[in-house]
Amino acid sequence: MSHEAFPTDNPAVVTVGLPYANGDLHVGHLRGYVTGDTVARALRRVGQQTAFVCGSDMHGTPIAVNAAKEGVSPEAFALEYHEEYAETFPKFNVEFDNYGHTHDETNVETTQEFVRSWIDGDHVVEKEIQVAYDPADDQWLPDRLVEGTCPYCGEDARGDECDEGCQRHLEPGEVEDPVSTLSGNPAEYREREHKFLRLSDFQDYLQAFIDRMDGTDNAKNQPREWIEGELQDLCITRDMDWGIDYPGEDGEGEEDLVLYVWVDAPIEYVSSTKQYTDRVGEDAFDWEEVWTVDDEDELTGEDNGEIVHVIGRDIIQHHAVFWPAMLRGAGYNEPRAILATGFVGIDGKALSTSRNRAVWADEYLDEGFHPDLFRYYMINGSGMETDVDFSWDRFAERVNGELVGNLGNFCYRSLLFAERNYDGTPDADVSDDVRERIEDAIDEFEAALNEYRVRDVGAVPIELADYGNEYIQRNEPWKLTDDDPERAAQVIRDCVQIAKAIAVLMQPVMPEKADALWAQLGEDGSVEDARLDEALDAPPATFDEPEELFGQIEDERIEELNEKLAERVEEATEDGEDDAEEANEDTMDFEPESLTDERISFDDFGDLDMRVGEIETAEPIEDSDKLARLEVDIGVETRQVVAGIKQLHDLAELPGTRVVLLANMEKAELFGVESNGMVLAAGDEADLLTTHGDAPLGSKIQ
RNA sequence: AGCGGGAUGGGAUAGCCAGGAGAUUCCGGCGGGCUCAUAACCCGCAGACCGGUGGUUCAAAUCCACCUCCCGCUACCA
């Protein structure tokens, strides 16, 4: 938009959101890294100097908690995952120029420099807040280090959110009956002074920034609510040992405070670029040309480097609000674009690691599938912004149909025909039509990249192969070899040229397969080093017999994989690690109330007039969180009842459900609606009582 | 609840920002062709009036309003 088209004279940095070193990688993570890698490769294709950097996110309370559970240090715990990630990414052809982590020396230094800049610029304020504290262990308990009871719904809740109950976000100090996640000791709240970054200092700046930033619609629009409203101060410190020390004034009295992970996490983008420069030298890539601003007043000037962030759509605010403010406060450059990808689902349902409804990175590779197939599926499956569903069925369908049948088949039949009849590229000129078609493909590649239409970038070679199949079919060179050899040579020359163009254009999405095709054409080196317009240069006059680029995935394979996945999900459910129904998780920790000692007489029981009924209608009561208005047929008449079950049941499914109704309950009026009776239900989840058989409506409970 | 994103032939997806001849591609169905090629490839047909209701316009899948359903975010979780 407001930016100069790629390639620019400045270097670019492409980043992907840091993986949190807390668990194995699955296809959901991989989508982002593949997208970022493809963007970086495509930028290089058009001649943009580009560094692709990332690193592991090592800090934060979840890692501290999980490390404690395993009895290892947070650093050792996180490092293990860090190394796993560093090894896994290249296996998916995600090749970072530098992959660091937030706990390394570079990031500690850079982060502290940032914070000092904010302090010097008077953007940091101090405030007293309530923090949970474990007096027995002399331990502060920020964020998830404390758990207790949700003040809103009474469910067990973590310190930061009511994760099992009402899903509400909880402020520090809100959780009732707090206990330490680490020791289980009861906790108390204490006043504690913390540091805050005054985001409102950057309000005007952010408003201008969001207007000139490029990227996906969600990334450009979602932050507006915050940026155009009142910006709260961001608490940037935590009472923990694990993290980067708050630099403070002369180190006095601040040594027990570390920085909030969302402070040092994005700064790793800068640190990782620095490390890249340290390794290759400033002449090869100068991090300062990208990250620092030559002229403070010229943020949008042409001298600044191009920063492109690829993230998941759940961390937009952090990258489009906090991060630009952090950069600005330290005198750094701003992002040119933020690309927020959608989520990945499995077989039409949400991916769930606890239920093991996931396809793991290692699993995919262990099954022997080529990484480029996965990359293709993720990039070409749908637009970057929308959620994409992964299923082995679809995977096989797309690989077999689009890669094997279309792209692979075209290249194979063309090169094989060329090799058998001409020993390589026929001696003829490329026809004008084909030349123009390839030129169009190159133009579309560049245009799509400049608008961050990554899917369209990936579609270019496929569409070219489509054209190729059509072209070869229409001209039937196999009929011409005898009748019109010159014409046959011409057609095959065109086809070989198209195959070469495909190799160049498919490289960002399928780098390894592109190289394989490149080699089959008899080209030297890697297609990675070929410029985009080399797609039009003549291929070598001779090359060897080609091989099939992609192999069919058999139906039996897919059946196996589906079964494996289904079994795994079932196992995870049976093991009770998690359950099919959200609510069942509560059942695990459920402790029934102790029994009442007081006994009642049979006559007392007889006072309760309970009847079998059937729900006829169920509709929500406006302005109420829980209440629903039910009409229940109890044989002799139909009763209107108000019941607190709105959140706990799908009202649309209730009509037809048999229930037990206390008919002689005193009448009540709730939210202006009369309740004439009471529907019996069990527990906090209001599990409705029903009949086992088919007792007629109106039957008395006795 | 507020904000953001989405709802398109049987399934999956594009188009919407820059409104215009009853809409893309893939899978599936039907009918042809070809045989160089991995039962691949090519051509043709059937099938959606583009979540619902209104509005703007000569013209709307595309703009506006309201509604329904799904997903995300809502600031000191990562």
Side-chain angles (χ1 to χ4, degrees):
Chain A
M1 318 248 156
S2 51
H3 301 102
E4 191 188 351
F6 295 115
T8 69
D9 294 334
N10 312 303
V13 163
V14 176
T15 75
V16 189
L18 271 42
Y20 194 58
N22 193 27
D24 295 327
L25 295 173
H26 53 63
V27 291
H29 298 108
L30 255 10
R31 180 183 193 184
Y33 300 100
V34 165
T35 302
D37 185 76
T38 300
V39 170
R41 288 180 191 273
L43 283 171
R44 294 199 187 102
R45 278 278 71 74
V46 302
Q48 177 74 41
Q49 189 193 10
T50 303
F52 181 43
V53 301
C54 193
S56 302
D57 187 358
M58 308 275 283
H59 299 136
T61 50
I63 284 174
V65 170
N66 288 333
K69 275 184 199 160
E70 291 191 12
V72 296
S73 73
E75 181 165 10
F77 179 89
L79 268 178
E80 199 169 313
Y81 281 112
H82 166 70
E83 279 157 21
E84 180 183 314
Y85 300 166
E87 282 171 20
T88 303
F89 290 134
K91 293 180 186 166
F92 282 86
N93 292 328
V94 172
E95 311 244 14
F96 292 110
D97 291 307
N98 191 75
Y99 188 78
H101 64 74
T102 57
H103 198 65
D104 63 32
E105 206 178 312
T106 317
N107 197 51
V108 172
E109 278 173 20
T110 314
T111 299
Q112 292 185 334
E113 276 168 30
F114 264 73
V115 177
R116 283 196 200 93
S117 294
W118 304 337
I119 296 169
D120 293 345
D122 197 24
H123 298 302
V124 175
V125 292
E126 295 171 352
K127 287 189 208 176
E128 295 273 329
I129 57 168
Q130 296 278 329
V131 178
Y133 180 77
D134 177 352
D137 278 12
D138 188 25
Q139 166 88 47
W140 290 99
L141 305 169
D143 303 331
R144 286 185 196 178
L145 291 186
V146 65
E147 55 193 23
T149 308
C150 174
Y152 299 102
C153 69
E155 289 295 321
D156 289 342
R158 295 194 302 224
D160 49 29
E161 68 170 335
C162 179
D163 57 326
E164 295 178 4
C166 59
Q167 305 290 318
R168 222 179 290 244
H169 168 81
L170 302 177
E171 294 291 314
E174 277 198 314
V175 167
E176 292 168 356
D177 308 321
V179 295
S180 165
T181 313
L182 297 175
S183 64
N185 296 335
E188 59 191 43
Y189 289 111
R190 293 192 181 180
E191 284 278 308
R192 179 78 166 124
E193 188 175 273
H194 273 276
K195 316 290 181 183
F196 288 76
L197 179 63
R198 199 165 46 214
L199 290 177
S200 52
D201 288 356
F202 307 99
Q203 188 121 29
D204 291 343
Y205 165 72
L206 288 170
Q207 286 176 1
F209 162 74
I210 200 70
D211 282 338
R212 63 178 168 254
M213 185 193 87
D214 284 343
T216 49
D217 290 338
N218 48 10
K220 288 193 288 190
N221 295 329
Q222 191 172 304
R224 289 184 190 277
E225 187 189 10
W226 287 20
I227 287 176
E228 286 160 14
E230 196 175 333
L231 282 168
Q232 298 171 26
D233 297 339
L234 176 68
C235 184
I236 56 170
T237 48
R238 290 292 184 279
D239 297 289
M240 285 182 80
D241 298 329
W242 179 235
I244 294 178
D245 291 334
Y246 180 81
E249 308 86 38
D250 310 322
E252 287 293 320
E254 320 284 3
E255 58 273 5
D256 47 352
L257 281 183
V258 297
L259 289 159
Y260 173 40
V261 301
W262 270 110
V263 172
D264 60 80
I267 293 174
E268 168 66 12
Y269 298 145
V270 179
S271 307
S272 194
T273 317
K274 269 188 188 175
Q275 289 174 339
Y276 179 51
T277 294
D278 287 347
R279 213 175 59 240
V280 298
E282 278 179 25
D283 296 338
F285 194 95
D286 187 352
W287 73 274
E288 288 190 275
E289 281 185 38
V290 179
W291 287 105
T292 59
V293 180
D294 292 333
D295 180 346
E296 282 276 336
D297 299 323
E298 284 289 331
L299 266 172
T300 56
E302 291 185 359
D303 295 337
N304 299 323
E306 326 294 349
I307 301 166
V308 178
H309 294 304
V310 176
I311 58 172
R313 69 182 165 100
D314 53 340
I315 51 171
I316 290 173
Q317 315 288 15
H318 300 88
H319 283 78
V321 183
F322 300 161
W323 178 229
M326 289 164 60
L327 286 165
R328 181 62 172 161
Y332 276 70
N333 191 12
E334 68 188 25
R336 166 175 171 143
I338 296 178
L339 314 179
T341 67
F343 295 151
V344 177
I346 304 286
D347 289 332
K349 294 178 188 163
L351 189 150
S352 164
T353 52
S354 57
R355 280 164 212 162
N356 216 343
R357 183 193 300 290
V359 173
W360 300 94
D362 283 350
E363 178 189 10
Y364 174 91
L365 296 169
D366 290 346
E367 293 294 345
F369 293 117
H370 196 281
D372 287 356
L373 307 183
F374 175 77
R375 294 171 63 99
Y376 175 75
Y377 186 98
M378 281 296 144
I379 296 295
N380 288 49
S382 65
M384 173 163 48
E385 218 171 326
T386 42
D387 292 350
V388 59
D389 191 57
F390 185 91
S391 80
W392 289 112
D393 289 308
R394 282 278 295 159
F395 177 71
E397 189 178 293
R398 306 229 0 244
V399 168
N400 291 342
E402 296 163 36
L403 294 181
V404 177
N406 184 345
L407 193 149
N409 184 239
F410 169 72
C411 294
Y412 183 60
R413 70 200 293 206
S414 297
L415 298 199
L416 189 63
F417 199 103
E419 195 273 335
R420 282 185 186 162
N421 292 280
Y422 309 97
D423 205 28
T425 310
D427 185 18
D429 287 330
V430 175
S431 68
D432 290 343
D433 283 355
V434 169
R435 170 173 295 278
E436 280 166 23
R437 180 64 186 78
I438 293 173
E439 283 168 352
D440 287 347
I442 293 170
D443 290 346
E444 168 58 10
F445 182 101
E446 290 177 327
L449 175 62
N450 265 291
E451 292 171 33
Y452 308 100
R453 289 182 277 121
V454 180
R455 176 205 173 110
D456 292 340
V457 170
V460 166
I462 295 289
E463 281 162 9
L464 193 54
D466 218 11
Y467 169 83
N469 273 319
E470 209 181 302
Y471 183 82
I472 195 170
Q473 193 72 36
R474 187 162 18 103
N475 290 290
E476 301 185 304
W478 47 90
K479 282 185 179 169
L480 296 172
T481 42
D482 295 330
D483 303 346
D484 189 351
E486 213 169 297
R487 175 74 188 131
Q490 161 78 70
V491 170
I492 292 304
R493 173 63 223 275
D494 281 342
C495 289
V496 173
Q497 192 69 50
I498 292 169
K500 177 167 177 174
I502 287 171
V504 174
L505 294 165
M506 73 189 271
Q507 197 272 342
V509 179
M510 296 179 280
E512 216 173 315
K513 291 296 184 181
D515 262 339
L517 179 54
W518 194 244
Q520 288 182 16
L521 282 159
E523 298 283 357
D524 294 328
S526 168
V527 66
E528 191 168 4
D529 302 318
R531 298 183 320 277
L532 209 49
D533 54 16
E534 279 184 48
L536 288 160
D537 291 353
T542 60
F543 48 78
D544 298 332
E545 186 175 317
E547 282 176 18
E548 296 153 348
L549 269 183
F550 304 97
Q552 289 273 1
I553 300 173
E554 304 299 333
D555 292 349
E556 300 81 68
R557 259 341 286 294
I558 295 309
E559 278 173 36
E560 268 174 47
L561 291 163
N562 281 331
E563 278 169 27
K564 269 191 200 175
L565 182 59
E567 276 171 28
R568 236 178 33 199
V569 172
E570 203 175 317
E571 265 174 43
T573 306
E574 281 173 4
D575 290 353
E577 286 188 18
D578 206 336
D579 304 281
E581 304 279 58
E582 305 263 344
N584 288 0
E585 198 166 311
D586 303 325
T587 322
M588 301 301 301
D589 305 319
F590 178 68
E591 281 185 40
E593 291 176 32
S594 52
L595 294 171
T596 307
D597 287 326
E598 245 181 84
R599 300 280 174 164
I600 63 167
S601 68
F602 186 76
D603 284 344
D604 288 341
F605 173 73
D607 289 341
L608 302 174
D609 187 2
M610 294 186 286
R611 303 300 182 108
V612 172
E614 183 173 291
I615 297 176
E616 289 188 333
T617 62
E619 57 185 59
I621 289 177
E622 275 186 29
D623 300 317
S624 160
D625 285 337
K626 289 185 177 175
L627 297 179
R629 191 182 75 84
L630 308 178
E631 280 181 22
V632 183
D633 181 359
I634 52 170
V636 285
E637 59 186 73
T638 297
R639 291 286 188 88
Q640 170 172 289
V641 176
V642 176
I645 57 171
K646 185 162 130 187
Q647 295 178 311
L648 310 163
H649 293 272
D650 185 354
L651 295 186
E653 284 179 13
L654 285 181
T657 305
R658 294 167 72 83
V659 292
V660 176
L661 184 120
L662 178 58
N664 63 338
M665 183 79 190
E666 61 183 20
K667 290 185 183 178
E669 188 172 305
L670 300 159
F671 279 77
V673 181
E674 185 189 67
S675 182
N676 184 9
M678 180 171 165
V679 170
L680 268 49
D684 291 334
E685 295 297 326
D687 196 357
L688 285 169
L689 263 56
T690 185
T691 56
H692 182 262
D694 53 0
L697 299 185
S699 300
K700 193 160 192 287
I701 313 294
Q702 50 196 4

